Short mmCIF file of all heavy atoms in Angstrom, two decimals:
data_model
loop_
_atom_site.label_atom_id
_atom_site.label_comp_id
_atom_site.label_asym_id
_atom_site.label_seq_id
_atom_site.Cartn_x
_atom_site.Cartn_y
_atom_site.Cartn_z
N LYS A 105 5.03 3.49 -24.50
CA LYS A 105 3.81 3.94 -25.16
C LYS A 105 2.90 4.71 -24.18
O LYS A 105 2.79 4.32 -23.02
CB LYS A 105 3.07 2.68 -25.64
CG LYS A 105 1.89 2.92 -26.54
CD LYS A 105 1.37 1.57 -27.05
CE LYS A 105 0.09 1.72 -27.81
NZ LYS A 105 -1.10 1.85 -26.94
N ASP A 106 2.28 5.75 -24.66
CA ASP A 106 1.30 6.55 -23.89
C ASP A 106 1.89 7.36 -22.74
O ASP A 106 1.14 7.97 -21.98
CB ASP A 106 0.15 5.68 -23.35
CG ASP A 106 -0.73 5.15 -24.48
OD1 ASP A 106 -0.76 5.80 -25.54
OD2 ASP A 106 -1.35 4.10 -24.29
N THR A 107 3.22 7.35 -22.58
CA THR A 107 3.80 8.22 -21.56
C THR A 107 3.88 9.65 -22.11
O THR A 107 3.81 9.86 -23.33
CB THR A 107 5.21 7.75 -21.15
OG1 THR A 107 6.06 7.76 -22.31
CG2 THR A 107 5.17 6.35 -20.56
N ILE A 108 4.00 10.61 -21.19
CA ILE A 108 4.02 12.03 -21.59
C ILE A 108 5.19 12.31 -22.53
O ILE A 108 5.04 12.99 -23.55
CB ILE A 108 4.09 12.92 -20.33
CG1 ILE A 108 2.78 12.76 -19.52
CG2 ILE A 108 4.33 14.39 -20.69
CD1 ILE A 108 2.83 13.34 -18.11
N ARG A 109 6.35 11.73 -22.23
CA ARG A 109 7.50 11.99 -23.09
C ARG A 109 7.37 11.30 -24.45
O ARG A 109 7.82 11.82 -25.47
CB ARG A 109 8.78 11.60 -22.37
CG ARG A 109 9.15 12.66 -21.31
CD ARG A 109 10.20 12.16 -20.36
NE ARG A 109 10.80 13.25 -19.58
CZ ARG A 109 11.60 13.05 -18.56
NH1 ARG A 109 11.90 11.82 -18.18
NH2 ARG A 109 12.11 14.07 -17.91
N LYS A 110 6.74 10.12 -24.47
CA LYS A 110 6.52 9.44 -25.76
C LYS A 110 5.54 10.26 -26.60
O LYS A 110 5.74 10.46 -27.80
CB LYS A 110 5.96 8.04 -25.51
CG LYS A 110 5.79 7.20 -26.77
CD LYS A 110 7.15 6.88 -27.34
CE LYS A 110 7.10 5.87 -28.47
NZ LYS A 110 8.48 5.46 -28.82
N LEU A 111 4.48 10.73 -25.95
CA LEU A 111 3.44 11.47 -26.68
C LEU A 111 3.93 12.83 -27.16
O LEU A 111 3.62 13.24 -28.28
CB LEU A 111 2.21 11.68 -25.78
CG LEU A 111 1.38 10.46 -25.43
CD1 LEU A 111 0.38 10.80 -24.31
CD2 LEU A 111 0.61 9.95 -26.65
N TYR A 112 4.68 13.54 -26.30
CA TYR A 112 4.95 14.95 -26.58
C TYR A 112 6.43 15.33 -26.68
O TYR A 112 6.73 16.41 -27.20
CB TYR A 112 4.32 15.83 -25.49
CG TYR A 112 2.85 15.56 -25.26
CD1 TYR A 112 2.39 15.16 -24.01
CD2 TYR A 112 1.93 15.70 -26.30
CE1 TYR A 112 1.03 14.91 -23.79
CE2 TYR A 112 0.59 15.46 -26.09
CZ TYR A 112 0.15 15.06 -24.83
OH TYR A 112 -1.19 14.81 -24.63
N GLY A 113 7.33 14.51 -26.15
CA GLY A 113 8.75 14.88 -26.13
C GLY A 113 9.31 14.99 -27.54
O GLY A 113 8.93 14.25 -28.44
N ILE A 114 10.24 15.94 -27.70
CA ILE A 114 10.84 16.19 -29.02
C ILE A 114 12.21 15.52 -29.09
O ILE A 114 12.59 14.95 -30.11
CB ILE A 114 10.98 17.71 -29.25
CG1 ILE A 114 9.58 18.36 -29.33
CG2 ILE A 114 11.78 18.01 -30.51
CD1 ILE A 114 9.61 19.88 -29.28
N SER A 115 12.97 15.59 -27.99
CA SER A 115 14.34 15.06 -27.95
C SER A 115 14.73 14.86 -26.49
O SER A 115 13.97 15.24 -25.60
CB SER A 115 15.29 16.06 -28.62
OG SER A 115 15.18 17.30 -27.94
N ILE A 116 15.92 14.33 -26.26
CA ILE A 116 16.35 14.07 -24.87
C ILE A 116 16.42 15.36 -24.05
O ILE A 116 16.16 15.36 -22.85
CB ILE A 116 17.67 13.27 -24.81
CG1 ILE A 116 17.93 12.75 -23.39
CG2 ILE A 116 18.84 14.07 -25.35
CD1 ILE A 116 18.95 11.65 -23.28
N ASP A 117 16.73 16.46 -24.70
CA ASP A 117 16.77 17.72 -23.94
C ASP A 117 15.40 18.41 -23.92
O ASP A 117 14.96 18.89 -22.87
CB ASP A 117 17.88 18.67 -24.43
CG ASP A 117 17.98 18.74 -25.94
OD1 ASP A 117 17.58 17.76 -26.61
OD2 ASP A 117 18.45 19.77 -26.44
N LYS A 118 14.72 18.41 -25.05
CA LYS A 118 13.36 18.99 -25.08
C LYS A 118 12.35 17.87 -24.82
O LYS A 118 11.57 17.49 -25.70
CB LYS A 118 13.10 19.66 -26.42
CG LYS A 118 13.98 20.90 -26.62
CD LYS A 118 13.59 21.65 -27.86
CE LYS A 118 14.20 23.02 -27.85
NZ LYS A 118 15.22 23.28 -28.80
N ASN A 119 12.37 17.36 -23.59
CA ASN A 119 11.55 16.18 -23.29
C ASN A 119 10.28 16.51 -22.50
O ASN A 119 9.69 15.66 -21.84
CB ASN A 119 12.39 15.10 -22.61
CG ASN A 119 12.98 15.55 -21.29
OD1 ASN A 119 12.72 16.66 -20.84
ND2 ASN A 119 13.77 14.70 -20.69
N SER A 120 9.85 17.77 -22.59
CA SER A 120 8.51 18.23 -22.19
C SER A 120 8.19 18.30 -20.71
O SER A 120 7.31 19.05 -20.31
CB SER A 120 7.40 17.41 -22.88
OG SER A 120 7.48 17.52 -24.26
N ILE A 121 8.86 17.48 -19.88
CA ILE A 121 8.43 17.43 -18.48
C ILE A 121 9.56 17.05 -17.53
O ILE A 121 10.47 16.30 -17.90
CB ILE A 121 7.21 16.47 -18.35
CG1 ILE A 121 6.47 16.70 -17.03
CG2 ILE A 121 7.61 15.02 -18.55
CD1 ILE A 121 4.98 16.67 -17.17
N HIS A 122 9.48 17.60 -16.32
CA HIS A 122 10.37 17.21 -15.23
C HIS A 122 9.52 16.64 -14.10
O HIS A 122 8.41 17.13 -13.85
CB HIS A 122 11.12 18.43 -14.68
CG HIS A 122 11.79 18.16 -13.36
ND1 HIS A 122 13.05 17.60 -13.26
CD2 HIS A 122 11.34 18.31 -12.08
CE1 HIS A 122 13.34 17.45 -11.97
NE2 HIS A 122 12.32 17.86 -11.23
N GLY A 123 10.02 15.64 -13.39
CA GLY A 123 9.36 15.14 -12.20
C GLY A 123 10.40 14.73 -11.17
O GLY A 123 11.43 14.14 -11.53
N SER A 124 10.14 15.04 -9.90
CA SER A 124 11.08 14.67 -8.83
C SER A 124 11.30 13.16 -8.84
O SER A 124 10.38 12.39 -9.12
CB SER A 124 10.52 15.09 -7.47
OG SER A 124 10.05 16.41 -7.50
#
Side-chain angles (χ1 to χ4, degrees):
K105 189 174 173 281
D106 292 334
T107 60
I108 294 167
R109 284 166 166 170
K110 184 67 171 189
L111 290 168
Y112 307 121
I114 295 168
S115 57
I116 192 163
D117 43 334
K118 293 187 165 111
N119 60 4
S120 300
I121 197 139
H122 166 86
S124 313

